[in-house]
Amino acid sequence: MSGIIGKKIGMTSIFDENGKNIPVTIVEAGPCAVTQVKTEDTDGYKALQLAYGDQSEKNVSSAMLGHFKKAKTAPKRKVIEFRDFDGDYKVGDEVKVDIFEEGEFIDIVGTSKGKGFQGVMKRHGFAGVGDRTHGQGDQERAPGSIGAASDPSRVFKGVKMAGRTGGSRVKTQNLKIVKVLTEKNMVLITGSVPGPNGSYVIVEK
């Protein structure tokens, strides 16, 4: 599985050859430094470890500083492993956005936007109680009964209730690459890319 680490920049729109306006998300993809090559002989499986996003040495542990120096690269913020990476790479090489082609479909992994503590309508799409009736009170957005009585005398695990929403790992599949800007290390993608602007994402082929 080939891929690259990137950063979500924001949204814009472009016109295709037929003059149709297409909304796209801009992702800065790489360049990523190869910091480790894992093989069947040494590690029991094949994988490529990529690193992206420069950061100050004072914010990196001594162990990771030695790891980056061995790869002859500056300290990085994100280190991700890709199994069965296509191509022949060595430690110190760079993986760039040119591994992608316009028109191909990819998957994107990111951390969804955190929305804090939310009620059942926003968190789970409940419809609410509905029209007011006698004795209902102000219960339009309430969850209603959760079904527990003397039997089973408890609330089952997994019942949909209010709680913290967002901020979780999300994979969006089958997004289409509309344009690859090699000189700017950017790809323009149609579809929903998880996370806020400026967040790190993983683009998988």
Side-chain angles (χ1 to χ4, degrees), residues 12-175:
T12 185
S13 62
I14 61 173
F15 293 94
D16 64 7
E17 62 275 7
N18 299 319
K20 184 179 179 182
N21 192 8
I22 303 173
V24 294
T25 300
I26 305 170
V27 174
E28 182 184 77
C32 295
V34 178
T35 51
Q36 190 175 358
V37 179
K38 297 192 174 183
T39 62
E40 292 277 2
D41 298 333
T42 58
D43 303 281
Y45 63 98
K46 291 173 61 179
L48 208 64
Q49 187 187 86
L50 303 183
Y52 171 77
D54 292 342
Q55 70 169 335
S56 173
E57 287 191 7
K58 69 182 180 68
N59 296 326
V60 183
S61 67
S62 298
M64 288 306 295
L65 270 179
H67 187 66
F68 291 129
K69 284 180 181 177
K70 187 176 179 181
K72 298 178 181 178
T73 184
K76 304 291 184 182
R77 290 184 180 277
K78 299 292 286 186
V79 178
I80 304 290
E81 192 175 282
F82 294 85
R83 287 203 177 203
D84 300 317
F85 203 97
D86 295 332
D88 187 21
Y89 292 92
K90 302 185 295 295
V91 173
D93 289 349
E94 276 193 336
V95 177
K96 297 184 178 180
V97 73
D98 56 10
I99 65 171
F100 300 107
E101 296 177 1
E102 293 180 7
E104 75 174 324
F105 290 86
I106 48 96
D107 300 338
I108 290 193
V109 180
T111 303
S112 62
K113 291 181 181 180
K115 300 177 186 298
F117 193 97
Q118 300 296 332
V120 290
M121 293 185 75
K122 182 163 185 174
R123 192 181 191 205
H124 299 296
F126 281 22
V129 177
D131 296 333
R132 280 179 174 273
T133 56
H134 288 289
Q136 178 182 314
D138 298 327
Q139 300 291 316
E140 287 87 352
R141 300 179 68 88
S145 171
I146 56 175
S150 58
D151 181 24
S153 297
R154 65 189 177 91
V155 179
F156 289 112
K157 287 184 178 180
V159 173
K160 293 179 178 179
M161 294 185 178
R164 191 167 178 174
T165 311
S168 55
R169 182 183 171 94
V170 175
K171 175 184 273 192
T172 308
Q173 297 180 304
N174 298 321
L175 304 181

